[in-house]
Amino acid sequence: MCGIIGYIGNKQASDILISGLSHLEYRGYDSSGIALMHDNKTEIFKAQGKLINLIEILNSALPTYKASHLGIGHIRWATHGLPTTANAHPHTCTCKKLTLVHNGIIENYKELKEELIQNQKNTVFRSQTDTEIAAHLIAYEYGKTKNLLKAMQNAVKKIKGAFAFCAIHNDEPDKIVVAKRNAPLVIGLGEGENFVASDIPAIIEYTKKAIYLCDYQVGVITKDDVKIYDENDVLVQNKIEYLPFEAMAISKMGYKHFMLKEIHEQGDVVRNVLSSKILSPVEKIKLEEFKLDKAKIKNIKRIQIIACGTSLHAGLVGKYILEKFAKIPTDVESSSEYIYRDTIADENTLVIGISQSGETADTISAIKQVKKENSHVIIITNRADSTMARLADSLMPVNAGIEVSVAATKSYMAQLMSLYILAIYLYEQKGLNDYDGEIINLKQELIELPNKIETLLENVSDIKEVARKYANYKDFIFIARGINYPTALEGALKLKEISYINATGYSAGELKHGPIAMLDENMPVLALLNKGIVYDKVLSNCEEARARQAKLIAVTNYVSKKDEGLFNDIILIPSVSDTLSPAVNIVVLQLLAYYISEFLGKDVDQPRNLAKSVTVE
Ligand code: F6R
């Protein structure tokens, strides 16, 4: 959700900023901009829309900007103000000597604006953004102190909300001043050059040594030095970390879109998660990452899962399996709801935070809240270097590999697998008895799962055909019961976010309590119909939908000859137990959403209005 970058050194700053922003585009793509300082002057380039538009502007500009060795840049996911060029960062103060980029939200920007208008009647506002107010505020403080560090320190004391700032000033042309609160910022350390960015991929090509700025700290970055001050203006030393990343050429490997490539990687993702954990069906699961001992595990009275979006849906599947196997009551809640109510967690509560990015602001706030209650916090994330990972008592990195498509697919699969592992692990550590061999069977099935997923992916013609047939419908309903209810929610979310079709997931039993009123021949209903305890019930719900003339699609591993006629279309999936079926069903729904979006000519990998990392509450 907005990405920022800064460079100071001897190289051409524009190249480094643009390359860095290209690695931050997952954080937003409403607009982008860079500010380049040279000879005590700052030149700003901005463009609405994707980064490519900014690159085109630079290509047609006078090449004088190439002489700059100091600059800051920004990629925007709009919060305040339309995604226009005027609202694109960087923003400047009235005299344009101070330039600022910002990731976050300034909650009291209206009050600050009022104060600024009182204090400096000639302030010129050029955008509708909260960031511009911060630029004016820092400049106002600069007027008093003539010192960019002090100006930033004074300004951030007045700002409420979340921010990562990079500021430069024409009168101090040898530095970038940075500050942060509840938004990520990493400072990359080089030889005769230094970097700053919202995330490591933006700088990893240039350095593997970095410092993470902490909340309330302010830093001064010159080309040879980094100085960090805490909120009491005391000089502090942050630990230097060695980044566990390789600069990687991210490629589609011949696939038309990253999303399709990532869907196809899911067999390997499952192998990867399971490889060191399940060695054979009869051996106990190894989970060195989980730091609670047996005695403490036996004391866990409840589990709370906190997550957002797709990760929340993984958590909902987690509830079914944790309650089924670990026999621990489990609640699942959206982080944004969890934060603002009186939740009950204590030292006997296990809290599971799930997040692909590890940077989702709502989930971070919720985790910080429960940490005060002494609950053990386990984080399941695809980013072992993230803010959330650093808050974890136990860290389960899912290692799905970098996910470029904004719509999460393989990271969801990896989260599901981690939850299966955790549920079985808790079950085994509690010494529960596997009387009917269900756990052994499940482990065997997990071992076989990658091949099943790959078999499904080998023949997608039915899914493509259904996508083609239903792409032009305006609405879509997904129904399921039991452990696949979250799969219906996730399937609907995937379709909504990349095709903009109004899709909703319902528990099949709920259909008759209201939503059935919407059914007619213009409403496709997709049912997840797995042979298992709810099969007959879902089938009855399908009959009810059919009686209202809805178009019916079944995703199923079994349908009898007598029931075939009920459905307009049937997508057959490999045979799998009810317990593990979410991991197979979801692949069908991901592909269906993908092919519908592709058929409609939408921007599959970067759907409108979205960002991959949601760092504002
Ligand atoms: C949808 C999607 C989002 C994220 C949500 C939480 O495809 O990716 O719904 O799941 O924004 O993000 P993380 O998992 O990074 O906390």
Side-chain angles (χ1 to χ4, degrees):
M1 200 123 292
C2 295
I4 62 177
I5 180 152
Y7 173 75
I8 183 162
N10 297 315
K11 299 197 181 106
Q12 189 182 310
S14 57
D15 278 355
I16 291 169
L17 299 181
I18 293 294
S19 146
L21 289 179
S22 73
H23 292 291
L24 296 176
E25 224 181 351
Y26 73 88
R27 303 176 73 90
Y29 31 81
D30 286 335
S31 66
S32 57
I34 57 173
L36 297 162
M37 197 187 286
H38 184 50
D39 286 343
N40 296 44
K41 287 197 196 82
T42 301
E43 202 175 354
I44 294 181
F45 300 90
K46 298 185 191 193
Q48 192 173 336
K50 301 232 172 120
L51 185 62
I52 186 72
N53 301 347
L54 179 64
I55 296 171
E56 276 165 18
I57 286 176
L58 283 172
N59 287 344
S60 56
L62 286 176
T64 44
Y65 70 85
K66 293 189 178 171
S68 168
H69 305 297
L70 162 61
I72 55 179
H74 187 269
I75 194 117
R76 180 166 187 246
W77 182 84
T79 58
H80 295 64
L82 295 172
T84 57
T85 308
N87 288 333
H89 300 213
H91 289 287
T92 57
C93 63
T94 303
C95 71
K96 298 192 177 174
K97 281 188 166 185
L98 179 129
T99 308
L100 183 75
V101 290
H102 166 220
N103 164 214
I105 285 187
I106 297 169
E107 286 165 6
N108 58 338
Y109 80 104
K110 286 190 185 136
E111 293 87 321
L112 292 173
K113 186 172 181 182
E114 288 303 313
E115 271 175 46
L116 280 164
I117 292 170
Q118 298 276 317
N119 293 334
Q120 293 197 122
K121 302 244 172 322
N122 58 350
T123 306
V124 178
F125 296 98
R126 304 180 182 95
S127 77
Q128 302 154 318
T129 63
D130 52 341
T131 304
E132 189 191 349
I133 309 302
H136 288 301
L137 178 63
I138 302 167
Y140 173 66
E141 295 296 333
Y142 192 87
K144 294 196 264 178
T145 58
K146 299 289 177 233
N147 178 310
L148 188 53
L149 167 66
K150 295 269 172 280
M152 180 68 91
Q153 285 172 321
N154 293 344
V156 293
K157 284 188 186 134
K158 297 183 178 166
I159 291 175
K160 290 191 187 136
F163 53 79
F165 288 134
C166 291
I168 53 176
H169 197 290
N170 290 356
D171 292 346
E172 297 189 30
D174 60 341
K175 65 182 64 116
I176 302 172
V177 171
V178 295
K180 99 162 201 98
R181 194 189 302 154
N182 295 330
L185 203 67
V186 59
I187 300 171
L189 307 173
E191 295 291 326
E193 60 182 357
N194 286 310
F195 310 79
V196 58
S198 299
D199 196 4
I200 294 166
I203 55 172
I204 195 69
E205 199 177 329
Y206 311 103
T207 181
K208 290 214 162 52
K209 261 175 32 179
I211 294 170
Y212 287 94
L213 198 71
C214 301
D215 283 349
Y216 299 98
Q217 292 182 334
V218 176
V220 179
I221 305 172
T222 61
K223 75 188 182 58
D224 298 310
D225 196 18
V226 174
K227 284 203 163 49
I228 295 176
Y229 300 86
D230 70 10
E231 60 188 316
N232 301 314
D233 197 22
V234 175
L235 189 64
V236 289
Q237 294 277 338
N238 287 13
K239 195 172 128 216
I240 296 181
E241 313 228 4
Y242 292 85
L243 304 175
F245 276 80
E246 286 306 321
M248 57 188 122
I250 299 172
S251 127
K252 292 185 193 146
M253 310 284 283
Y255 288 95
K256 188 165 177 197
H257 295 100
F258 281 107
M259 182 177 177
L260 191 59
K261 169 181 164 254
E262 287 157 6
I263 291 172
H264 277 262
E265 284 170 350
Q266 291 181 110
D268 277 341
V269 164
V270 174
R271 276 188 197 98
N272 218 7
V273 181
L274 304 183
S275 64
S276 57
K277 313 255 180 336
I278 302 186
L279 302 178
S280 83
V282 288
E283 280 172 80
K284 284 199 170 149
I285 288 212
K286 291 195 188 343
L287 193 57
E288 277 145 21
E289 293 91 335
F290 195 50
K291 303 295 179 206
L292 278 187
D293 60 27
K294 255 188 192 168
K296 290 207 172 117
I297 287 176
K298 284 189 176 148
N299 280 338
I300 300 173
K301 297 282 177 292
R302 61 191 297 209
I303 297 177
Q304 291 180 348
I305 300 181
I306 316 171
C308 297
T310 290
S311 301
L312 181 70
H313 297 154
L316 286 167
V317 176
K319 173 183 166 72
Y320 283 85
I321 46 184
L322 285 159
E323 290 189 339
K324 181 175 169 74
F325 297 117
K327 305 275 180 238
I328 305 172
T330 302
D331 300 314
V332 187
E333 193 161 347
S334 152
S335 320
S336 55
E337 290 303 314
Y338 189 91
I339 316 169
Y340 296 106
R341 64 181 188 86
D342 294 329
T343 46
I344 300 164
D346 59 19
E347 68 278 11
N348 294 326
T349 309
L350 172 66
V351 174
I352 306 176
I354 310 177
S355 173
Q356 182 282 129
S357 64
E359 296 294 349
T360 299
D362 289 319
T363 309
I364 292 174
S365 299
I367 299 295
K368 283 184 179 164
Q369 187 171 311
V370 290
K371 278 191 77 87
K372 293 188 197 135
E373 312 299 333
N374 291 326
S375 306
H376 188 86
V377 174
I378 177 161
I379 298 292
I380 297 177
T381 180
N382 200 25
R383 291 294 301 267
D385 57 316
S386 59
T387 305
M388 243 180 263
R390 276 177 272 127
L391 289 170
D393 298 313
S394 295
L395 175 62
M396 272 181 92
V398 301
N399 300 327
I402 195 119
E403 190 175 61
V404 177
S405 160
V406 165
T409 53
K410 64 175 180 172
S411 62
Y412 176 75
M413 182 64 77
Q415 291 167 350
L416 285 187
M417 290 305 113
S418 302
L419 288 160
Y420 281 97
I421 295 277
L422 185 61
I424 302 174
Y425 178 77
L426 291 175
Y427 166 94
E428 289 176 342
Q429 294 300 307
K430 285 178 78 176
L432 299 169
N433 271 322
D434 189 15
Y435 292 120
D436 49 8
E438 206 177 352
I439 289 287
I440 290 184
N441 290 343
L442 178 58
K443 284 199 241 176
Q444 180 61 40
E445 262 208 296
L446 281 163
I447 292 168
E448 289 164 9
L449 182 64
N451 290 345
K452 287 200 177 151
I453 291 176
E454 281 158 4
T455 307
L456 191 161
L457 287 166
E458 270 163 28
N459 187 358
V460 296
S461 52
D462 286 357
I463 304 173
K464 270 187 181 170
E465 178 52 21
V466 171
R468 192 195 55 75
K469 222 167 137 181
Y470 293 93
N472 288 313
Y473 281 81
K474 298 282 168 271
D475 305 282
F476 230 102
I477 284 179
F478 290 73
I479 57 168
R481 283 177 104 128
I483 195 164
N484 274 299
Y485 166 51
T487 317
L489 298 180
E490 175 58 10
L493 177 63
K494 285 286 92 80
L495 185 58
K496 261 192 283 238
E497 63 184 333
I498 62 170
S499 72
Y500 322 142
I501 291 174
N502 180 25
T504 313
Y506 291 107
S507 121
E510 274 296 305
L511 208 57
K512 57 187 170 296
H513 298 289
I516 202 164
M518 296 186 297
L519 300 193
D520 61 18
E521 69 282 3
N522 295 317
M523 180 66 86
V525 174
L526 183 147
L528 297 172
L529 192 63
N530 279 84
K531 197 74 191 131
I533 48 168
V534 292
Y535 180 88
D536 290 332
K537 298 284 172 217
V538 178
L539 206 57
S540 304
N541 301 136
C542 289
E543 294 274 9
E544 291 152 15
R546 186 64 178 182
R548 274 81 191 174
Q549 292 171 4
K551 298 275 180 315
L552 265 184
I553 306 155
V555 174
T556 181
N557 54 4
Y558 169 82
V559 63
S560 68
K561 275 267 164 266
K562 74 175 168 50
D563 294 322
E564 261 177 22
L566 183 60
F567 298 96
N568 297 79
D569 295 276
I570 294 176
I571 298 172
L572 266 182
I573 60 162
S575 134
V576 61
S577 72
D578 219 16
T579 308
L580 203 51
S581 58
V584 176
N585 284 334
I586 192 56
V587 180
V588 176
L589 302 192
Q590 292 166 346
L591 285 167
L592 183 65
Y594 171 80
Y595 285 117
I596 289 182
S597 171
E598 209 233 332
F599 186 81
L600 293 173
K602 304 290 185 211
D603 191 341
V604 174
D605 285 333
Q606 293 187 330
R608 70 184 184 202
N609 304 341
L610 296 180
K612 187 126 190 93
S613 183
V614 185
T615 57
V616 292
E617 279 187 23

